[in-house]
Amino acid sequence: MGQNNSTGLPGPLRTISTSHSQPQQELDSFHEERSDSPQTSASSATESTIPNSPPQKRRGGAVGSIFLHSMKLVCFAGPYDKVRRLSNTSDPKENPRFPTEWAAYWKSNGNWMKYEEPISQGLLAACEQDKDSYTFERQGHFFIVDLKRRVQRNRDKGYVRLVQRRPSYRPLLSMVPYLMTLPRRPQGTVPSTSDVLGENPKDGYCGSYPAAWVPKPPDGQAFLKMEVLPTEVAYHRVCALFHQSLSEEKTLVLGIYRIRNDDLWEKYTRQKAIMSHACSLQEKQQLEKHLFYGSAADFLEPICQKNFDPSFSRLHAPIYGRGCYFSKSAIYSHRHGQASKAGLRYMFLAKVLVGKTAVGHKLFRHPLPVVPGGQLYNSWVNSKSNTQVYVISDHCQCYPYFLISYKMLSDPVAVDG
């Protein structure tokens, strides 16, 4: 656990600031490979091209930059003067669970391209053996890689390219089976590691709060928030839905929480029973959906206490009618959220009773009848053929079940000061 991964190779410039947050995973993900182009979410500036503009100022903390290739702090006035990154050994015999896995890249027209096999394997092996150079042939051309200067030269034409290696990124979920240290829970609570009846929107559940191990809120408190463990099926499913449109290369999930509010849950299940009564078997399976709702930090507590507010749509150009706007896509809801001063972002994955839907209009205020004098539509949508947005005008048709805390990797990293 003592090997330093400072490679001396060209790397991105990242901004860091001091405040209270969870910086370790963020800094780690920047240093590691996040995609085929390691600098996708970072500036391509290097030490020889440091911007001359003054460092960004942020209220309540000092701001500076860190160069990941040399692990140097730049323009930083605060309690830190050095930074380094420790990693596991890359020898699988010494560490069979988490050996560092490397990837090699070369720079072409400003973009970092991953070496293909078997070139990558041979180049990395040469690095491990501490060789001075490595030669390979590709498409009839021979290339010589100077492993000390980290450059690649075309032997015939003399073209020179920068090269680098980075530790491959390993998502948290891939390591969960091997992790033994988990957040402590109150005695007597046992989170489920299998499906929980009521957490699948298609199971038709209408009973008490599904996650029975989550304690009831104390007297005088409307709701209780409890973290979902990475070992739970729910954690994996929420992350999978979230990352369908907000990829792991751009976002970092910091935590997922269940919200227990018995008053809101009772109203929701009562409404679900009423709406289910008039549905066919096929319609019942489409009645409830898990949909995203982006929120600023200031609105989290009011939502958890009193539910989503349909009148709030007046602040967001209600193009499909007045009501609560939910989306199948996390990136849509992300655009309607707002980061906190520390760069933290929040999004609900809510239970929503969509029922019978109709295409919305900005003038709609109340549900319309399916037929004159008959049953009403339950929600409005952006489109019937490609539905992405649902608008609910009755707050009994929604419940703030999961809360996701996350950060964009393009934002400054907040470090505890």
Side-chain angles (χ1 to χ4, degrees):
M1 294 291 291
Q3 177 182 343
N4 192 323
N5 273 2
S6 298
T7 60
L9 304 176
L13 170 70
R14 295 305 313 161
T15 303
I16 63 175
S17 64
T18 60
S19 78
H20 296 285
S21 186
Q22 303 178 30
Q24 179 58 50
Q25 290 187 63
E26 300 168 61
L27 287 171
D28 208 39
S29 62
F30 287 131
H31 189 275
E32 294 174 333
E33 169 212 356
R34 295 295 302 182
S35 66
D36 287 343
S37 177
Q39 297 186 16
T40 299
S41 60
S43 166
S44 60
T46 62
E47 278 188 350
S48 60
T49 58
I50 299 176
N52 293 322
S53 58
Q56 175 188 2
K57 299 296 182 183
R58 177 169 288 186
R59 184 178 180 182
V63 178
S65 301
I66 176 175
F67 286 95
L68 298 180
H69 65 287
S70 60
M71 304 304 284
K72 290 183 179 180
L73 289 172
V74 181
C75 304
F76 191 79
Y80 306 103
D81 56 4
K82 292 182 181 179
V83 61
R84 65 173 178 166
R85 180 184 185 276
L86 303 180
S87 77
N88 295 318
T89 174
S90 58
D91 187 346
K93 293 181 179 179
E94 293 185 24
N95 189 341
R97 298 295 188 188
F98 302 112
T100 296
E101 298 176 357
W102 295 93
Y105 300 84
W106 59 284
K107 197 170 189 179
S108 174
N109 298 322
N111 296 316
W112 288 101
M113 313 294 292
K114 184 184 287 188
Y115 280 104
E116 57 197 33
E117 297 295 353
I119 298 172
S120 178
Q121 183 178 358
L123 193 153
L124 293 173
C127 289
E128 291 292 330
Q129 297 165 15
D130 199 27
K131 292 185 176 180
D132 293 332
S133 64
Y134 175 73
T135 302
F136 65 92
E137 183 268 337
R138 182 176 182 271
Q139 297 180 351
H141 297 280
F142 285 88
F143 300 88
I144 302 172
V145 179
D146 187 327
L147 299 176
K148 303 304 179 184
R149 296 175 53 220
R150 279 82 178 185
V151 294
Q152 168 190 292
R153 181 173 61 85
N154 184 310
R155 191 183 66 179
D156 301 320
K157 298 185 177 181
Y159 297 144
V160 176
R161 308 279 191 186
L162 296 177
V163 301
Q164 67 168 318
R165 69 170 186 167
R166 282 279 191 238
S168 297
Y169 177 67
R170 301 185 68 173
L172 172 63
L173 292 182
S174 70
M175 299 187 285
V176 164
Y178 310 109
L179 300 178
M180 303 301 294
T181 302
L182 296 172
R184 292 189 178 184
R185 289 186 177 274
Q187 292 184 355
T189 62
V190 182
S192 174
T193 55
S194 58
D195 284 322
V196 178
L197 185 63
E199 293 194 342
N200 183 335
K202 294 185 178 181
D203 62 19
Y205 180 80
C206 275
S208 58
Y209 187 79
W213 63 89
V214 178
K216 291 186 177 181
D219 291 341
Q221 183 175 317
F223 71 95
L224 188 141
K225 181 179 74 173
M226 177 168 279
E227 186 172 8
V228 180
L229 297 182
T231 51
E232 296 184 55
V233 170
Y235 189 98
H236 291 250
R237 286 183 174 169
V238 173
C239 278
L241 284 173
F242 182 81
H243 287 309
Q244 280 181 1
S245 56
L246 284 172
S247 69
E248 290 184 271
E249 286 76 31
K250 296 181 180 180
T251 56
L252 177 66
V253 173
L254 300 175
I256 300 174
Y257 306 87
R258 286 184 179 89
I259 305 300
R260 177 163 184 169
N261 184 320
D262 290 344
D263 181 51
L264 296 185
W265 182 256
E266 182 181 348
K267 293 177 181 178
Y268 178 79
T269 52
R270 189 187 305 129
Q271 181 69 18
K272 185 175 182 179
I274 294 172
M275 294 174 64
S276 297
H277 184 71
C279 292
S280 65
L281 181 60
Q282 183 178 1
E283 289 174 334
K284 285 181 180 180
Q285 293 202 338
Q286 300 299 321
L287 173 62
E288 180 181 274
K289 294 186 181 296
H290 283 181
L291 302 173
F292 292 104
Y293 184 96
S295 175
D298 292 343
F299 296 105
L300 297 182
E301 188 164 335
I303 289 173
C304 294
Q305 285 183 344
K306 300 180 180 179
N307 215 338
F308 303 100
D309 184 359
S311 65
F312 189 67
S313 64
R314 289 177 296 180
L315 305 178
H316 293 284
I319 57 177
Y320 305 118
R322 181 178 176 182
C324 301
Y325 278 62
F326 298 92
S327 176
K328 293 168 62 175
S329 169
I331 194 168
Y332 177 92
S333 297
H334 165 75
R335 298 189 187 110
H336 291 81
Q338 184 178 355
S340 68
K341 292 181 180 179
L344 296 177
R345 297 175 184 268
Y346 301 94
M347 189 180 300
F348 287 95
L349 182 62
K351 284 182 170 292
V352 183
L353 301 172
V354 299
K356 296 184 181 297
T357 63
V359 176
H361 188 277
K362 63 182 180 180
L363 297 180
F364 287 173
R365 294 293 182 270
H366 304 286
L368 303 177
V370 178
V371 294
Q375 182 183 1
L376 301 178
Y377 285 107
N378 305 115
S379 61
W380 301 308
V381 296
N382 64 307
S383 166
K384 295 288 283 188
S385 60
N386 183 28
T387 304
Q388 295 295 323
V389 178
Y390 292 83
V391 184
I392 305 297
S393 60
D394 184 351
H395 66 268
C396 289
Q397 289 179 222
C398 47
Y399 180 91
Y401 199 89
F402 292 110
L403 174 63
I404 305 167
S405 171
Y406 68 103
K407 284 202 69 170
M408 301 302 294
L409 293 177
S410 56
D411 292 341
V413 179
V415 182
D416 282 338

